[in-house]
Amino acid sequence: MAERRRIRPLDALVSPRFTQIATFARLPHDRNLTDVDAAFLGIPFDDGTTYRTGARVGPGAIREQSRLLRPYNMILDVSPFEVLNVLDYGDVDVVPGSHAKTARAIEDTLATLLEAGVAPLIAGGDHSITLPVLRALRRVHGPVHLLHFDSHFDFWDQYWGERYTHGTWLRRALEEGLLGRVGQLGIRGPQFTPDDLRYADEHHLHVVPIAELAENPKKAVGRVLEAVPAREPLYVSWDIDVVDPAYAMATGTPEVGGLTSREALDVVRTLSGHRLVGVDIVEVSPLYEGPGAVTALLAANLFYEFLSVMAKNAVAGLPAF
Ligand code: MN
Ligand code: MN
């Protein structure tokens, strides 16, 4: 049998970090999925936004800021790129102005990755991209459990008569039977009506308000995932606006009172031991970024923590993706 392909980021001590074309974590841009465990995928679509647009340029900004990542995760004690073969798969060819056509393109690309046993690390794009991702996941894994980190519920029925937006994807996913257990973590801010809270109760969504998440992330995640066996597939959808706009101002629908960047990293680390089959980070909208591009920098580091969790799981012998 042929030897396993070895894929690694560029060595910063040979090729300095500020050199070369920006790919995620300076990994090769490649579509050969042989021996690949996880792939970064950009979905630059933002026609699902209901307030400020701009998330279509999120993936490029995250790639640019991911130059700074280093090989060893000291907190989780793992070198993710030594354990997992990871590459940058590029972007989905989205269709500006058409959620339906874009959704089909997303589902096709995800099917290719998932059928090859590759865990997707998806950079949005606005939150409407998660619905076709969940459709593709269901085809391969059956209904997945979902941890949805967000300041918003995202389960409204429609906006101005439109049913496929970044604020309605979760309701569509529930209607389509794509999900197992669902947790919504980090919820805060003013709502339209008290009915919003009622919908969560009626549909058995496990809502974790921001204070509870920030205070004890391990307990909060544990409460959502109690009774979920560690070997069952879990997907994480992370809206960057769960983080406080002081740390992540570059987003379309900011809500004050969110996680700090350090709390956000801690939250991700608590997921070790759960079978993470994929993750998205959405709503990074670099047009509203301040100097230093801290929002995209945080998103790059969150991806690194998710990858480190996947690598730790692989070392511990949890089933592959
Ligand atoms: Mn949100
Ligand atoms: Mn959202």
Side-chain angles (χ1 to χ4, degrees):
M1 217 171 108
E3 209 170 298
R4 183 174 146 92
R5 198 152 74 101
R6 191 186 144 88
I7 305 171
R8 295 293 182 275
L10 292 176
D11 183 345
L13 300 178
V14 175
S15 183
R17 289 176 203 292
F18 48 83
T19 65
Q20 312 308 328
I21 294 161
T23 57
F24 178 71
R26 309 183 83 219
L27 290 157
H29 169 39
D30 192 354
R31 293 205 161 173
N32 173 3
L33 295 176
T34 309
D35 294 333
V36 172
D37 302 303
F40 182 88
L41 175 71
I43 306 185
F45 181 80
D46 65 6
D47 290 277
T49 51
T50 58
Y51 194 54
R52 305 191 297 202
T53 56
R56 68 178 59 184
V57 285
I62 293 168
R63 287 187 175 102
E64 185 58 39
Q65 294 307 314
S66 70
R67 292 176 176 280
L68 199 58
L69 298 174
R70 297 189 187 85
Y72 176 59
N73 186 326
M74 158 174 104
I75 310 282
L76 289 177
D77 186 25
V78 70
S79 297
F81 304 114
E82 291 300 315
V83 177
L84 303 175
N85 270 336
V86 189
L87 51 70
D88 188 327
Y89 196 73
D91 294 338
V92 172
D93 288 320
V94 302
V95 181
S98 174
H99 182 270
K101 288 179 185 166
T102 297
R104 281 196 290 278
I106 293 170
E107 209 177 325
D108 287 350
T109 305
L110 262 291
T112 303
L113 293 175
L114 296 172
E115 280 158 18
V118 175
L121 307 164
I122 297 165
D126 71 53
H127 221 152
S128 68
I129 62 133
T130 301
L131 177 63
V133 172
L134 293 173
R135 287 175 182 152
L137 282 162
R138 187 182 193 285
R139 291 215 311 245
V140 173
H141 291 293
V144 291
H145 304 295
L146 173 70
L147 288 182
H148 167 214
F149 293 92
D150 205 320
S151 65
H152 308 106
F153 284 119
D154 288 4
F155 54 48
W156 288 280
D157 185 41
Q158 44 81 25
Y159 278 84
W160 311 290
E162 293 298 319
R163 300 177 74 246
Y164 296 92
T165 77
H166 74 160
T168 56
W169 63 273
L170 183 57
R171 186 174 296 212
R172 299 290 94 78
L174 292 163
E175 288 167 353
E176 293 178 24
L178 308 180
L179 299 171
R181 205 172 166 92
V182 178
Q184 300 195 277
L185 304 95
I187 304 294
R188 63 182 185 274
Q191 306 299 320
F192 286 114
T193 77
D195 287 345
D196 295 348
L197 297 154
R198 211 168 301 137
Y199 181 89
D201 275 352
E202 284 169 7
H203 292 80
H204 310 292
L205 310 179
H206 301 268
V207 176
V208 178
I210 186 67
E212 200 181 323
L213 177 63
E215 195 174 307
N216 191 336
K218 202 167 182 64
K219 200 169 144 197
V221 168
R223 181 160 80 75
V224 174
L225 294 180
E226 68 185 352
V228 169
R231 300 177 100 75
E232 290 190 4
L234 171 70
Y235 183 75
V236 172
S237 186
W238 184 286
D239 186 327
I240 200 70
D241 71 31
V242 74
V243 179
D244 194 277
Y247 300 86
M249 70 283 292
T251 193
T253 324
E255 294 291 343
V256 297
L259 298 176
T260 66
S261 46
R262 187 168 67 189
E263 286 164 351
L265 296 169
D266 278 344
V267 167
V268 176
R269 291 173 191 139
T270 65
L271 301 178
S272 277
H274 296 284
R275 186 184 160 206
L276 199 53
V277 294
V279 58
D280 65 53
I281 300 178
V282 295
E283 301 283 349
V284 173
S285 195
L287 305 181
Y288 315 105
E289 193 78 279
V294 295
T295 315
L297 179 64
L298 175 59
N301 278 272
L302 288 168
F303 276 121
Y304 181 77
E305 295 300 324
F306 280 116
L307 254 181
S308 298
V309 166
M310 289 173 173
K312 264 198 102 78
N313 286 347
V315 171
L318 263 183
F321 320 114

